[in-house]
Amino acid sequence: MTIGEKIKAFRLYRGMSQNQLADACGIISATIRKYELGIRNPKPEQLKKIAAGLQVSDSVFYEFEISTAGEVAALLFMLDNAIDMELFETEDNVALKFKDGFLKKFMWEWFAAKNKTAEIKSDMEKVDNDEAKTAIEDKAALKVPKEKALLLPSFESIKQNTPEAKELYARSYLIQEQNTDAINAHVLIEPSENRYLVQEPPAFPLTTQEFDSLYELPFTRAWHPMYDKEGGIAALEEVKFSIVSCRGCFGSCSFCAIHAHQGRIIQARSHQSILKEAREMTQFPDFKGYINDVGGPTANFRHPACQKQLKFGACKDRQCLFPKPCPYLDADHSDYIRLLRELRALPGVKKVFIRSGIRYDYLLAEHKQQFLDELCRDHVSGQLKIAPEHIADATLKHMGKPGKDVYLKFTKAFMQKNKEIGKEQYLVPYFISSHPGCTLANAIELAEFLRDTGRHPEQVQDFIPTPGSASTAMYYSGIDPFTGEKVYTVHNPHHKAMQRALMQYRNPRNRALVIEALKEGGREDLIGDGPRCLVRENYSRAPRAGARRDFHSGTAARRQEPGKHVAGRKKRR
């Protein structure tokens, strides 16, 4: 047996969970699990703590080289001197009998487990291929302790296009969503035909050392030569001089599955590793002194959301930021600030930008409020991209995003900070149309918000269901898996086009769709010549040569500087 297998065997004998052993020995449960799985081996001092927690000697974990009969005999002499045991003869063999209660029970349980494994292996060898599907999988399922496994609705029960099946689908998604954490996830079993699909708990988050080692591999930062004849890959220019500093995300937006792929526990590279990569960047002939990005799924996540996550895993029944920040949330940005300052100080580096996106609700939760100042002074390239996604509360609650008031609070703080430091910088918000829960009335509400705030989005995103996200489960089932409530979903392509058009109501190509949407939504008051109208009902007058027409008012529009949003028009003198 390996050291990890021995730790697990003694832990189970003591009737302890991994969390209970972690409490008893002062080592986090994630590390205990890695030891048991053989991912890592404990150091001697850690092994002593584990042994103390299990109330055994640490010597039981060490391996002995025994390969000859003479070595077995020597071990028996040692056992005879060390413990109370009895040697007796059976009909065909010589046997040892341990009088020590602990050893007696442990040996019985060990042999029972070995016999069970042998029984399953034997059965697998006896049946033919047709029968093996049922026999093998049934016995494999039995090996999983009931308290460690959850049975999902069968594939047959959720694949039907019926209300009952879709309700089961939403329930199945919720169980899967609540078991995406390596520390507290259960084994998931889904029956399918005459088989079982068994999903093991996720892999543990990378350690800093493991994370660093990945990015110390000899990447070329170049496209494959096969693309030379096509002029290369344009998208590489943005990422070639960008640095990944973290992975994982506890933001858990409904339309995103990153937290399912990378986990909700943040993993971060060391400063030394990141600085080493940055120094290597400066040696490239085409490096101009600008690091385009230092971030990850969310740039300003550099440590776990709270210390509880390291011991118990991410909470199954609550989010870290939605509907409001958890009281245990650690929103300290000091490590990220220090990292950015170290990068700026490197010879050959002129500017370090943050372009992978930030969570502004997390930024606002910082008590010291240092990061906003640092961000505006040194890390914005004129425009900062943020993702409020929508402003209607009825839609945002299904997106898992903060309310409109939080977005407006950050906008105000951002503009005040830039005024304070004498910089002219702008926010570029991203919005999503036709997300589950977004009605036509919600889409019109967003269009009015864009009008009132002078936002004219050039790029908008129409919701697309992607695998593994809660939004996709809502889109398919029509049910919010977290609440069990019915959710309005848009499936008709024309209705989706209307919601998208409302976000760009100033675009003349969208005029007919906008009018149709406003009439269908009972908002004809927004059609006409009034100052609050979104579109004129009859507008066919061609603009004079060399002038652009403002689709909103019909008057000649001034050209805007990039990033500026003109909220109103002044009369021409």
Side-chain angles (χ1 to χ4, degrees):
M1 296 176 73
T2 65
I3 292 178
E5 289 170 339
K6 290 179 180 178
I7 292 173
K8 183 176 181 179
F10 278 105
R11 176 176 64 78
L12 294 177
Y13 168 74
R14 293 295 186 195
M16 302 172 73
S17 67
Q18 289 177 340
N19 287 335
Q20 289 171 329
L21 176 56
D23 290 337
C25 65
I27 297 174
I28 64 173
S29 58
T31 302
I32 296 291
R33 181 164 181 171
K34 286 188 177 182
Y35 293 158
E36 292 187 359
L37 292 175
I39 298 173
R40 291 169 59 183
N41 280 323
K43 295 179 180 178
E45 58 271 21
Q46 294 168 317
L47 207 52
K48 286 182 180 296
K49 292 180 180 179
I50 293 171
L54 293 170
Q55 301 177 31
V56 297
S57 168
D58 61 323
S59 61
V60 303
F61 297 115
Y62 294 108
E63 295 294 322
F64 296 93
E65 292 292 334
I66 302 175
S67 56
T68 66
E71 290 170 343
V72 173
L75 179 60
L76 288 173
F77 279 118
M78 294 171 60
L79 288 172
D80 190 36
N81 290 327
I83 61 174
D84 188 9
M85 68 176 190
E86 181 182 345
L87 183 68
F88 62 95
E89 187 175 359
T90 64
E91 185 177 345
D92 299 315
N93 299 295
V94 175
L96 287 175
K97 182 178 181 181
F98 297 103
K99 296 182 180 180
D100 181 86
F102 168 79
L103 278 177
K104 193 186 297 184
K105 183 176 180 182
F106 175 74
M107 294 302 290
W108 273 114
E109 292 181 350
W110 178 27
F111 281 110
K114 288 184 68 176
N115 291 338
K116 184 66 176 178
T117 303
E119 177 188 338
I120 292 172
K121 184 177 179 181
S122 174
D123 286 348
M124 289 168 62
E125 293 172 348
K126 291 177 183 177
V127 297
D128 59 31
N129 290 334
D130 293 331
E131 299 171 340
K133 291 180 180 179
T134 302
I136 295 173
E137 296 296 341
D138 280 350
K139 288 191 176 292
L142 290 174
K143 290 192 294 182
V144 181
K146 291 181 179 180
E147 68 275 10
K148 295 295 182 182
L150 294 175
L151 191 66
L152 300 172
S154 70
F155 176 69
E156 286 72 29
S157 67
I158 65 174
K159 73 176 183 179
Q160 307 300 324
N161 189 22
T162 64
E164 295 77 15
K166 289 184 176 182
E167 185 176 343
L168 283 175
Y169 177 90
R171 190 186 308 167
S172 180
Y173 173 82
L174 178 61
I175 296 173
Q176 294 175 61
E177 168 72 19
Q178 292 176 336
N179 287 276
T180 56
D181 184 89
I183 296 175
N184 58 35
H186 290 73
V187 173
L188 301 181
I189 302 175
E190 181 183 277
S192 178
E193 298 176 342
N194 59 348
R195 298 168 296 177
Y196 292 95
L197 176 64
V198 179
Q199 177 180 299
E200 295 289 342
F204 276 86
L206 296 175
T207 64
T208 298
Q209 184 179 3
E210 291 168 340
F211 201 178
D212 287 351
S213 67
L214 291 178
Y215 283 89
E216 289 174 4
L217 295 172
F219 294 106
T220 63
R221 295 185 182 273
W223 55 71
H224 193 279
M226 66 183 289
Y227 294 106
D228 288 344
K229 60 183 179 182
E230 300 173 14
I233 300 174
L236 182 65
E237 294 303 314
E238 178 67 20
V239 299
K240 181 176 181 180
F241 298 121
S242 296
I243 298 176
V244 174
S245 67
C246 60
R247 59 180 274 125
C249 184
F250 53 77
S252 302
C253 302
S254 298
F255 47 81
C256 179
I258 288 177
H259 65 282
H261 303 312
Q262 299 186 8
R264 285 172 57 192
I265 299 177
I266 301 301
Q267 304 128 72
R269 290 172 63 190
S270 68
H271 289 215
Q272 293 82 355
S273 174
I274 293 171
L275 292 170
K276 179 182 177 182
E277 182 178 354
R279 291 189 190 97
E280 292 172 353
M281 277 185 184
T282 64
Q283 304 306 308
F284 279 75
D286 53 341
F287 181 73
K288 306 300 181 184
Y290 301 98
I291 296 177
N292 293 325
D293 186 31
V294 181
T298 301
N300 56 329
F301 289 175
R302 273 283 299 174
H303 53 75
C306 67
Q307 289 302 307
K308 285 188 172 184
Q309 283 190 343
L310 297 176
K311 186 174 182 180
F312 303 109
C315 297
K316 293 188 176 188
D317 57 350
R318 67 184 303 171
Q319 300 292 343
C320 301
L321 288 169
F322 177 81
K324 60 182 181 180
C326 173
Y328 295 103
L329 180 70
D330 178 5
D332 181 51
H333 285 65
S334 57
D335 178 70
Y336 193 35
I337 292 172
R338 188 167 63 254
L339 172 63
L340 294 170
R341 289 175 178 174
E342 290 171 353
L343 287 167
R344 296 201 308 266
L346 291 178
V349 175
K350 299 177 183 178
K351 199 78 174 177
V352 179
F353 296 118
I354 299 174
R355 288 177 174 156
S356 57
I358 63 167
R359 279 295 294 244
Y360 55 82
D361 48 348
Y362 182 64
L363 182 153
L364 291 172
E366 183 189 24
H367 296 302
K368 298 179 182 178
Q369 286 296 298
Q370 291 180 313
F371 181 62
L372 180 60
D373 183 82
E374 196 88 9
L375 176 71
C376 294
R377 288 182 186 275
D378 297 298
H379 303 290
V380 178
S381 58
Q383 296 181 342
L384 177 67
K385 298 176 182 178
I386 56 173
E389 310 298 2
H390 215 279
I391 53 85
D393 289 337
T395 303
L396 289 169
K397 77 172 185 177
H398 295 300
M399 289 181 161
K401 296 289 287 186
K404 178 176 70 174
D405 56 330
V406 181
Y407 167 57
L408 292 176
K409 181 180 179 180
F410 175 72
T411 300
K412 182 178 179 181
F414 181 82
M415 300 311 292
Q416 285 180 341
K417 177 58 66 175
N418 279 285
K419 183 178 180 180
E420 175 188 317
I421 63 178
K423 286 197 171 188
E424 192 170 333
Q425 299 182 133
Y426 302 93
L427 294 173
V428 180
Y430 284 87
F431 297 99
I432 297 178
S433 63
S434 63
H435 185 276
C438 183
T439 64
L440 187 56
N442 298 147
I444 295 172
E445 183 182 349
L446 174 56
E448 290 192 276
F449 176 82
L450 295 173
R451 174 203 64 203
D452 295 341
T453 56
R455 302 290 185 187
H456 311 154
E458 295 182 2
Q459 294 181 342
V460 297
Q461 180 181 343
D462 189 31
F463 172 72
I464 299 173
T466 53
S469 73
S471 298
T472 298
M474 296 181 210
Y475 179 80
Y476 172 72
S477 68
I479 298 171
D480 185 327
F482 302 108
T483 64
E485 299 174 356
K486 297 288 185 182
V487 179
Y488 173 80
T489 56
V490 187
H491 290 260
N492 185 296
H494 185 68
H495 290 166
K496 289 172 71 71
M498 284 197 294
Q499 288 206 19
R500 182 186 178 97
L502 282 164
M503 293 171 65
Q504 296 177 309
Y505 65 89
R506 289 178 177 268
N507 189 329
R509 290 177 295 182
N510 294 333
R511 180 174 176 275
L513 281 171
V514 172
I515 291 175
E516 181 184 357
L518 293 174
K519 288 183 176 179
E520 185 173 321
R523 295 301 305 273
E524 288 90 343
D525 59 301
L526 297 177
I527 304 172
D529 298 330
R532 297 185 62 79
C533 291
L534 299 180
V535 59
R536 297 180 67 178
E537 185 163 19
N538 298 308
Y539 175 63
S540 58
R541 181 176 158 191
R544 70 176 186 274
R548 289 190 302 110
R549 287 282 170 181
D550 183 355
F551 184 49
H552 167 61
S553 64
T555 59
R558 298 171 294 172
R559 290 198 174 275
Q560 294 177 203
E561 296 179 21
K564 286 192 175 180
H565 304 286
V566 182
R569 305 294 182 191
K570 293 183 180 180
K571 293 182 179 179
R572 291 184 178 274
R573 293 185 182 275

